[in-house]
Amino acid sequence: QHKSAPLPALPTNLAEHQPLLNKLIAKDPAQRYGSAREALEAIEQLAANAAAEATLSRAVPALVG
């Protein structure tokens, strides 16, 4: 099943996490993260991007209004 089944797709509201998931569970080991540190760095970057986006989404209405 692991070799033939497609990778699971996240719901639309979590689509930004799809590249992370794909790399974590890639069928080809060469396509996965090389270490736990590398995976953690990707997770931290995703969290930082989400925090920056949240800050912008709060700031834009204040600037417009």
Side-chain angles (χ1 to χ4, degrees), residues 11-63:
T12 305
N13 64 322
L14 298 174
E16 67 205 36
H17 303 291
Q18 192 68 52
L20 174 69
L21 178 65
N22 290 350
K23 194 160 181 171
L24 285 168
I25 62 172
K27 294 176 186 294
D28 178 2
Q31 299 299 312
R32 296 181 202 146
Y33 291 103
S35 66
R37 169 60 41 209
E38 189 180 343
L40 286 172
E41 288 170 359
I43 293 167
E44 289 167 355
Q45 184 62 52
L46 190 61
N49 292 348
E53 188 175 308
T55 300
L56 281 175
S57 68
R58 287 192 303 270
V60 169
L63 293 174

